[in-house]
Amino acid sequence: MKTVSIFSTVNPVNNEPLKTYNHLSENELDAVLKKSDAAFEQWRRKTPEERQGYLTRLAASMASHRSEMAKMMSLEMGKPLAEAEAELKKCESTIKYYAEKDPSILAPKFVSSTFKKSAYVPCPTGVILGIMPWNFPVWQIIRFCLPTLFLGNVTITKPSDQTAGTSAILQKAFDDAF
């Protein structure tokens, strides 16, 4: 019988424990991978405009979770609340950028090169994994996920253990939007 490893988040200001979490078990990880693969098969078939609708909802969901997320970032990292809120506003702005981007940028295009014919053909490739650092726990995930999602891929992120609470709230924001 395999045990699931546990870890705790700690407030770096006073070294007080915040919360204890479990890492995923092998079975839970397998379930996430299968769910992500199935989600990719649906997501890749959505038009860029349909994806942008989800991104618009994500920006609104992020805004509704901003206060809670900023407070958690501050607790887990010792980041001043104003800096945490600024990071989250930057994330919302990035999401809106993709939600409002002209979808024609995803259309195939012939490009000049030293070859007889060259083309840029953006196409979804699958489930993309991102392993994230602790120092900008939401920004790093958003800057990785947004172009990936806009193109039609699905992402799995492994956030830093140090900012697990912040990542859990971010997951809620994604769940509310999607």
Side-chain angles (χ1 to χ4, degrees):
M1 180 177 171
K2 292 186 178 187
T3 60
V4 175
S5 66
I6 61 171
F7 64 96
S8 297
T9 53
V10 176
N11 183 328
V13 174
N14 57 21
N15 288 323
E16 289 184 15
L18 295 171
K19 189 171 178 182
T20 299
Y21 298 88
N22 292 327
H23 283 120
L24 295 179
S25 69
E26 286 183 39
N27 288 340
E28 290 169 323
L29 180 56
D30 283 343
V32 166
L33 294 172
K34 286 178 183 163
K35 184 177 177 182
S36 298
D37 197 42
F40 170 65
E41 289 306 317
Q42 293 178 2
W43 186 249
R44 70 184 298 196
R45 288 179 173 75
K46 296 197 179 302
T47 66
E49 295 84 2
E50 288 173 318
R51 292 183 210 134
Q52 286 177 307
Y54 285 98
L55 299 183
T56 298
R57 289 194 297 279
L58 178 59
S61 182
M62 288 283 296
S64 74
H65 289 283
R66 184 188 313 139
S67 177
E68 177 188 17
M69 218 177 318
K71 287 175 188 169
M72 184 59 71
M73 287 170 69
S74 197
L75 283 173
E76 291 179 329
M77 303 173 62
K79 183 179 269 197
L81 195 55
E83 289 182 24
E85 288 175 353
E87 177 178 336
L88 294 168
K89 287 178 183 176
K90 179 179 182 178
C91 293
E92 292 164 31
S93 175
T94 301
I95 296 166
K96 288 176 185 174
Y97 171 83
Y98 283 97
E100 296 166 0
K101 192 74 178 158
D102 183 351
S104 70
I105 67 168
L106 296 179
K109 297 171 183 70
F110 285 102
V111 294
S112 62
S113 74
T114 57
F115 297 98
K116 188 173 182 178
K117 275 189 177 180
S118 295
Y120 164 74
V121 183
C123 60
T125 57
V127 180
I128 315 286
L129 171 67
I131 300 173
M132 301 295 148
W134 66 271
N135 55 339
F136 290 93
V138 180
W139 170 242
Q140 294 289 6
I141 291 172
I142 293 299
R143 76 183 197 120
F144 160 71
C145 287
L146 265 290
T148 307
L149 291 169
F150 183 60
L151 181 58
N153 294 300
V154 170
T155 63
I156 296 175
T157 59
K158 193 299 182 192
S160 170
D161 288 354
Q162 186 173 340
T163 55
T166 301
S167 298
I169 299 166
L170 179 59
Q171 182 64 54
K172 273 198 291 185
F174 269 86
D175 290 346
D176 291 350
F178 288 80

